[in-house]
Amino acid sequence: MSGFFRKVGDSDSESDISSSEEELSELESGDEQPKTTTQPAAGRSRFLKGSDDDSDSDDDDSDEESLDSDDDSDDDGARADGKKAPTSRFMKGAADSDDSDSEEEVKKVVKSAKDKRIDDMQTIVHHIESAQKSGDWTSINKDFDNLMRSIDRQRTLGEHIPAFFYKAISNLDTFLNESAAKEKDAKKKMKAPVAKAMNGMKQKLKKVIKENDDTIARYRSDPAAFDAAYDAANNAAAAPAADAETAIAKGKKERLAAALDADANDDFQTVGRGGRTETYTSEGLFKSLAAIMEARGKKSTDKTEQIRKLNDLSGVADSPYKKIRVILALVAARFDYNASATAYMPVEMWDSARKEINEILALLTNNRAYVVREETDDYDDEVERIPGQDGEKDTVAVRGSIISFVDRLDDEFTKSLQNIDPHTTEYVDRLCDEKKLYETIVLAQAYFETQRESDALSRCTMRRLDHIYAKQDVIIRALESTLGDTAKSFASQLFPAPARVAEQDGPATLVRALCTYLYQARGVQAERPRTRAMLCHIYFHALHAEYHVARDMFLMSHLQDAIQLADVATQILYNRVVVQIGICAFRNGLIKESQVALQEIFATGRVKELLAQGLQKQNQFSTITPEQEKLERQRQLPFHMHINLELLECIYLISSMLLEVPNMALAGNDPELRKRVISRPFRRMLDYTDRQVFSGPPENTRDHIMQACKALQNGDCNACIELIADIKIWKLLPGSEAVKSMLAQRIQEVGLRTYLFSYSAYYESVSLAHLAATFDVQQKQVKAMVSKMIYNDELAASLDPKANVVSFHRLELTKVQQLAATLADKANSMLEQNERLLDAKLGEGKEQRSSGGDRERDGGQAGGRRERRGGASARGRGRGRGRAQQFQALGQKV
């Protein structure tokens, strides 16, 4: 018999067998690594003791005998019961011994990830219980944090919370209270780190108990019943897993029929991620809503899934209060979909949010007992609130903000237009949604008017005004035409009905009504809407070519005095108003007023930035930061609200040309007069054109104007008119034909003035009829122009009414006379400037000057001097610069 069978046979002691089993079980569990030997695997087993005592001479015999015995045992085992005898996975090809049936077979248990998590939590609970016995609060604190992280993981995965967690929390709370009582009565206090850990544990435990108050109360009332209910719930959850194979084997038609069977699916059920069943009922709506809102804002929250759940809750809401609560949460969740401030909402989600806002407005309109307010008294979120019941007032106030939803809806619409390419059909399709947004704004405005919420009504009115102030009448009528059903359901007492807007002066009446309401608002919060309403009103009049109305409103509002203190959006609107007034003056033939209004904007060289229609090109000298550039991009206006910059430049350059060409002719070779420059940008462009060796045919608007200027300087008015008329940008200006005819007339008049300034030194007299025929101007108009030039000391001549001629006077000033006149002008300017500075330093404004007469009557010598100084200043300002100073404010830049 070999040594192998001798050691493991029946004749061996029980101690040898038991030790071998222990070794095998340890290796199965992985607690100990197998010992290595130098003998070959086929010669002996590495896991059974006894082979080390054999001699080397017996090894070969033992090997042969063991192999023969293994073959015999395998054959015997197969013949005995007809099955292959089980073999150890550590010995391939080796059979068990004769007494292997009596030994306990060791099997490996495979656990799922879910069971492993439960075991880990059970281990943590055991550690906490062990630490309680020793009073180690530091370990308890650490293990408690690990336990709560495991519980949070369970909730994130949607799995059940084990019952022993609530048992551990309850026991820990009891132990904490007992320890606190003992510590209070003990003479020797515990150490500071332990006391700190216990106090920290008290705060954590208090929060956890508050979150799980109901469940812990059920456990404490009847622990046995609580455990039984938990086991029953586990068995019920495990039952569907046993039938999973049968469910999968069902055909597609059978599963679809089962899903659509109303009798089989009485409850509202939704299968979520991982196959877990979600059931929403009207009774548990508040708890489900609280759970969804609690996850709002967390990093791991699936926003799409959250919106789907709120949609499901909206379907089971069976009362107005529940419906209002769910829709408020749903709209807020939709607006939270995009975490980035630059990205815009998807169009489908935006449209869903708009429909839900319309739904809640209709719900609040039909149920006047419920109102939505930003500030309300505290109330229980998980209780149904009915007006006049359970201590509720006749009007139930729900915490929320409808006007914030409207503002955000409008902002998201604007943001989408900013990010979509304006030269694609997608932009046009998106712009078509403006009428839907306008309808929602009007619905909200009607609701706020009935509720008499002045602040919200002002904000909503401002939003409505922003959508119509820069549009033509036909577009405003089209927007109002979509409000037929809204107008029937509600008749506003403050604003005109859509039928009234459809009339001839309807759009102007609507804009005036909206602005008038904002003018009447009082309070600090109404200052910005009031300013913007005034600017929008002025812009509307200027857009409709009502220059004098727009100019008077602009000057009387004194907005130019404090616009630097306004916010950036209001400053941009101010710049747009100034530019639109300049365009309006040009359309009305007021060339000088148009140039004054546009001068300061174009002098900066940053027209696009000031009008929020583009960004400044970045270069190595740029000081703008990425954050500032990001803010600038967010302030950009949508493309359909842009003022065409090429048209704007065309108007400015033509106005400057009509003013600069006679000015340059008047200056001649006089160095002092040549310093008077009306438009420096125009002068720079003209100098650049003069330095060019070869001038080809005009290609763009600027080339047309520069060549027209050269023709006008040479006296060729017809060529100048043709060049100006050939500019293609005129088709973007309303009434372009009338503007072209006006420009032709003004070019002829400017040509006449330039001719008189340039060639008056070569004539003693010239006939008015000759001038009228040369420049194709009526003789009456020529006489008026020459008279005005003589009155303004621009022309040294006199008119002979009998002969209808202009007689030029030869008045040649000496060098000393020219210098004396120049010195007098400079002294007069310096005197006026010093008087203004002195008035500002002494605080003598309009009030001091208006009361100067009283001081003069009192006979005070100092007062008399101030009055004389103020009078001289007033006379100087009134005599020479009244009209120029009046329009200087129109060109102020922001």
Side-chain angles (χ1 to χ4, degrees):
M1 206 63 137
S2 69
F4 177 81
F5 287 99
R6 186 171 60 249
K7 292 296 180 181
V8 297
D10 295 336
S11 61
D12 294 326
S13 61
E14 294 295 328
S15 60
D16 293 337
I17 297 175
S18 61
S19 62
S20 299
E21 292 175 353
E22 292 173 359
E23 246 182 302
L24 186 60
S25 62
E26 289 175 356
L27 289 171
E28 283 285 337
S29 60
D31 296 335
E32 181 179 345
Q33 296 294 334
K35 297 180 181 179
T36 59
T37 61
T38 58
Q39 298 180 2
R44 70 174 71 183
S45 174
R46 295 183 297 153
F47 306 100
L48 300 178
K49 294 185 293 183
S51 298
D52 295 336
D53 297 336
D54 297 339
S55 60
D56 296 336
S57 61
D58 295 331
D59 288 338
D60 296 335
D61 298 333
S62 301
D63 294 339
E64 294 176 359
E65 292 176 1
S66 62
L67 289 173
D68 295 336
S69 301
D70 291 340
D71 295 337
D72 296 340
S73 62
D74 289 342
D75 295 337
D76 295 338
R79 286 191 298 268
D81 52 3
K83 296 181 180 179
K84 186 177 179 180
T87 59
S88 173
R89 67 187 184 93
F90 300 102
M91 296 182 294
K92 293 183 178 180
D96 292 342
S97 60
D98 296 335
D99 55 350
S100 61
D101 294 339
S102 62
E103 296 177 359
E104 182 179 0
E105 185 179 356
V106 179
K107 294 183 179 180
K108 182 178 180 181
V109 178
V110 180
K111 294 184 177 180
S112 63
K114 178 179 178 181
D115 295 335
K116 287 181 180 179
R117 288 192 293 268
I118 298 295
D119 291 344
D120 291 341
M121 287 188 284
Q122 187 73 52
T123 303
I124 296 174
V125 170
H126 289 330
H127 289 172
I128 293 176
E129 292 174 353
S130 300
Q132 288 180 12
K133 296 177 181 179
S134 60
D136 188 359
W137 284 104
T138 304
S139 300
I140 293 175
N141 207 336
K142 182 178 179 180
D143 291 334
F144 184 80
D145 292 339
N146 295 334
L147 179 62
M148 293 311 300
R149 279 194 290 269
S150 300
I151 294 299
D152 291 340
R153 190 183 303 114
Q154 289 288 104
R155 288 172 177 164
T156 302
L157 296 175
E159 297 179 357
H160 66 277
I161 307 301
F164 61 79
F165 166 73
Y166 302 104
K167 178 181 179 181
I169 294 298
S170 178
N171 295 339
L172 186 57
D173 183 47
T174 304
F175 177 72
L176 180 62
N177 294 332
E178 294 175 356
S179 300
K182 290 179 182 179
E183 177 65 17
K184 186 176 181 181
D185 298 336
K187 296 180 180 180
K188 185 178 180 180
K189 303 297 182 180
M190 63 176 62
K191 296 181 180 180
V194 180
K196 183 178 180 181
M198 188 177 74
N199 291 333
M201 191 66 231
K202 185 185 297 183
Q203 299 298 327
K204 296 178 184 178
L205 193 60
K206 181 179 179 181
K207 180 180 178 181
V208 174
I209 291 177
K210 184 178 181 181
E211 293 175 353
N212 304 275
D213 193 13
D214 297 338
T215 309
I216 294 176
R218 290 202 308 271
Y219 170 77
R220 288 177 176 175
S221 61
D222 192 353
F226 184 84
D227 292 339
Y230 172 77
D231 294 338
N234 273 348
N235 295 333
D243 299 335
E245 186 176 356
T246 304
I248 294 174
K250 283 186 176 182
K252 181 177 180 181
K253 294 182 179 180
E254 295 178 359
R255 292 198 302 270
L256 182 61
L260 298 177
D261 189 2
D263 298 334
N265 299 280
D266 292 336
D267 297 331
F268 183 86
Q269 294 184 349
T270 303
V271 178
R273 296 172 58 185
R276 295 183 297 275
T277 302
E278 299 173 352
T279 303
Y280 297 112
T281 61
S282 178
E283 292 76 11
L285 183 141
F286 293 115
K287 290 186 178 180
S288 301
L289 182 61
I292 294 173
M293 297 305 294
E294 184 180 358
R296 180 184 177 190
K298 293 184 178 180
K299 187 176 181 180
S300 60
T301 302
D302 188 353
K303 297 179 181 178
T304 304
E305 186 70 13
Q306 194 177 31
I307 293 173
R308 185 192 63 79
K309 291 179 180 179
L310 288 171
N311 264 326
D312 296 342
L313 281 179
S314 177
V316 300
D318 56 356
S319 67
Y321 177 73
K322 293 180 181 178
K323 197 76 172 178
I324 292 171
R325 288 282 308 278
V326 173
I327 293 179
L328 289 174
L330 179 57
V331 176
R334 291 192 187 278
F335 286 135
D336 290 344
Y337 183 78
N338 283 331
S340 175
T342 57
Y344 63 94
M345 288 177 63
V347 179
E348 296 78 9
M349 188 165 293
W350 180 89
D351 192 57
S352 299
R354 183 193 62 83
K355 292 178 180 178
E356 285 151 5
I357 293 175
N358 291 350
E359 183 179 358
I360 195 172
L361 287 172
L363 193 62
L364 293 172
T365 303
N366 297 330
N367 299 273
R368 297 290 183 178
Y370 295 95
V371 294
V372 176
R373 294 174 183 168
E374 297 182 6
E375 297 180 359
T376 60
D377 298 334
D378 293 336
Y379 57 86
D380 191 354
D381 289 337
E382 298 187 1
V383 176
E384 174 74 22
R385 301 174 64 196
I386 302 176
Q389 298 182 14
D390 298 332
E392 296 289 345
K393 299 179 180 179
D394 294 338
T395 302
V396 174
V398 184
R399 191 176 295 109
S401 178
I402 302 297
I403 185 60
S404 298
F405 288 161
V406 175
D407 290 343
R408 184 66 184 276
L409 193 71
D410 194 11
D411 293 339
E412 290 292 340
F413 177 76
T414 303
K415 194 185 300 183
S416 66
L417 292 177
Q418 290 173 347
N419 288 274
I420 298 175
D421 186 2
H423 304 292
T424 60
T425 57
E426 183 183 0
Y427 187 90
V428 179
D429 295 339
R430 183 59 175 150
L431 193 59
C432 292
D433 293 333
E434 187 176 14
K435 60 182 180 181
K436 300 178 182 178
L437 175 61
Y438 187 78
E439 181 182 1
T440 301
I441 293 174
V442 175
L443 282 173
Q445 189 181 26
Y447 172 72
F448 293 138
E449 182 179 347
T450 57
Q451 295 295 323
R452 305 190 178 204
E453 299 181 14
S454 57
D455 186 20
L457 182 57
S458 298
R459 291 167 61 182
C460 201
T461 303
M462 192 68 245
R463 291 283 177 175
R464 185 179 182 182
L465 184 61
D466 284 338
H467 281 275
I468 63 174
Y469 81 94
K471 290 182 172 58
Q472 297 292 342
D473 292 350
V474 60
I475 304 178
I476 297 176
R477 292 191 182 97
L479 288 175
E480 289 288 326
S481 64
T482 62
L483 305 177
D485 297 336
T486 305
K488 293 178 182 178
S489 60
F490 174 76
S492 175
Q493 303 296 325
L494 301 174
F495 311 108
R500 176 66 179 87
V501 179
E503 298 178 2
Q504 182 66 25
D505 60 340
T509 304
L510 175 61
V511 172
R512 182 179 180 182
L514 295 174
C515 294
T516 303
Y517 176 79
L518 294 173
Y519 296 156
Q520 296 172 352
R522 295 292 177 264
V524 179
Q525 70 277 3
E527 182 177 355
R528 181 178 182 271
R530 194 162 50 239
T531 302
R532 292 184 63 85
M534 175 62 72
L535 291 173
C536 292
H537 205 175
I538 296 171
Y539 191 99
F540 183 81
H541 285 301
L543 186 65
H544 290 74
E546 299 174 0
Y547 171 74
H548 294 92
V549 177
R551 181 202 62 184
D552 294 343
M553 291 180 63
F554 187 87
L555 295 177
M556 289 188 297
S557 64
H558 297 285
L559 293 174
Q560 61 272 18
D561 298 336
I563 194 62
Q564 298 287 350
L565 304 177
D567 59 291
V568 178
T570 304
Q571 291 181 12
I572 292 171
L573 180 58
Y574 174 86
N575 294 335
R576 286 168 53 82
V577 168
V578 171
V579 166
Q580 194 64 43
I581 289 177
I583 297 175
C584 179
F586 186 82
R587 293 169 60 187
N588 285 272
L590 305 173
I591 303 299
K592 183 177 181 181
E593 288 80 357
S594 175
Q595 199 275 339
V596 170
L598 301 176
Q599 170 65 31
E600 291 296 330
I601 295 290
F602 275 89
T604 61
R606 300 184 299 112
V607 182
K608 288 198 296 186
E609 289 80 11
L610 293 177
L611 298 179
Q613 296 181 189
L615 297 178
Q616 182 180 2
K617 293 183 179 180
Q618 301 299 319
N619 51 34
Q620 58 180 348
F621 304 105
S622 178
T623 58
I624 187 172
T625 62
E627 290 77 12
Q628 292 174 341
E629 183 179 358
K630 193 174 183 179
L631 290 175
E632 288 292 333
R633 291 188 181 278
Q634 294 176 5
R635 297 190 189 108
Q636 299 302 300
L637 291 173
F639 181 77
H640 69 281
M641 295 184 66
H642 285 190
I643 298 174
N644 190 277
L645 297 181
E646 186 178 356
L647 176 63
L648 197 62
E649 184 184 29
C650 177
I651 292 174
Y652 173 70
L653 292 179
I654 290 177
S655 301
S656 301
M657 178 190 72
L658 296 178
L659 296 177
E660 276 286 7
V661 171
N663 181 49
M664 294 167 64
L666 175 63
N669 296 323
D670 190 347
E672 294 297 330
L673 293 178
R674 289 175 67 90
K675 293 180 182 179
R676 292 178 51 190
V677 178
I678 297 176
S679 173
R680 294 191 181 277
F682 177 81
R683 283 286 187 95
R684 285 195 295 267
M685 294 180 190
L686 188 60
D687 293 341
Y688 177 76
T689 305
D690 290 339
R691 288 195 301 268
Q692 288 183 345
V693 179
F694 172 75
S695 297
E699 297 179 356
N700 52 31
T701 302
R702 189 176 297 181
D703 293 344
H704 277 85
I705 296 174
M706 291 299 106
Q707 292 195 13
C709 179
K710 300 297 292 183
L712 186 60
Q713 286 179 322
N714 296 330
D716 191 355
C717 296
N718 294 328
C720 179
I721 294 172
E722 291 177 0
L723 286 168
I724 295 298
D726 289 340
I727 298 176
K728 297 179 180 180
I729 201 65
W730 292 124
K731 61 184 179 181
L732 299 180
L733 187 68
S736 59
E737 295 300 327
V739 171
K740 289 180 182 179
S741 61
M742 179 270 298
L743 286 177
Q745 182 181 358
R746 295 303 299 268
I747 288 172
Q748 292 171 348
E749 295 175 1
V750 169
L752 173 60
R753 285 169 52 85
T754 305
Y755 181 81
L756 292 175
F757 287 145
S758 300
Y759 301 105
S760 61
Y762 302 98
Y763 288 95
E764 289 186 358
S765 62
V766 62
S767 172
L768 295 179
H770 173 71
L771 293 176
T774 303
F775 294 96
D776 195 14
V777 182
Q778 294 182 2
Q779 184 174 346
K780 181 179 179 181
Q781 190 173 357
V782 172
K783 184 175 181 179
M785 292 176 59
V786 173
S787 301
K788 186 176 181 180
M789 293 170 65
I790 295 173
Y791 178 79
N792 292 332
D793 294 334
E794 295 175 346
L795 193 66
S798 61
L799 280 173
D800 187 353
K802 295 183 178 179
N804 283 333
V805 296
V806 181
S807 301
F808 297 100
H809 301 165
R810 291 288 177 264
L811 182 60
E812 297 291 340
L813 297 178
T814 63
K815 186 65 175 178
V816 176
Q817 291 174 333
Q818 292 179 359
L819 293 176
T822 302
L823 180 62
D825 292 338
K826 290 185 177 180
N828 188 25
S829 300
M830 186 181 298
L831 176 63
E832 293 181 359
Q833 184 178 3
N834 289 338
E835 287 176 348
R836 287 196 298 270
L837 292 176
L838 183 62
D839 290 345
K841 185 176 181 180
L842 298 179
E844 292 184 358
K846 297 179 180 180
E847 294 81 2
Q848 285 78 2
R849 286 196 296 270
S850 63
S851 60
D854 298 336
R855 291 197 301 272
E856 187 177 3
R857 284 193 297 271
D858 294 339
Q861 184 177 0
R865 284 198 299 270
R866 294 193 197 97
E867 178 60 24
R868 286 193 297 274
R869 188 159 52 241
S873 175
R875 287 194 299 273
R877 286 191 293 270
R879 182 176 64 251
R881 304 186 307 112
R883 188 165 181 80
Q885 198 176 45
Q886 180 183 16
F887 293 101
Q888 187 177 2
L890 292 178
Q892 181 179 358
K893 67 178 183 301
V894 178

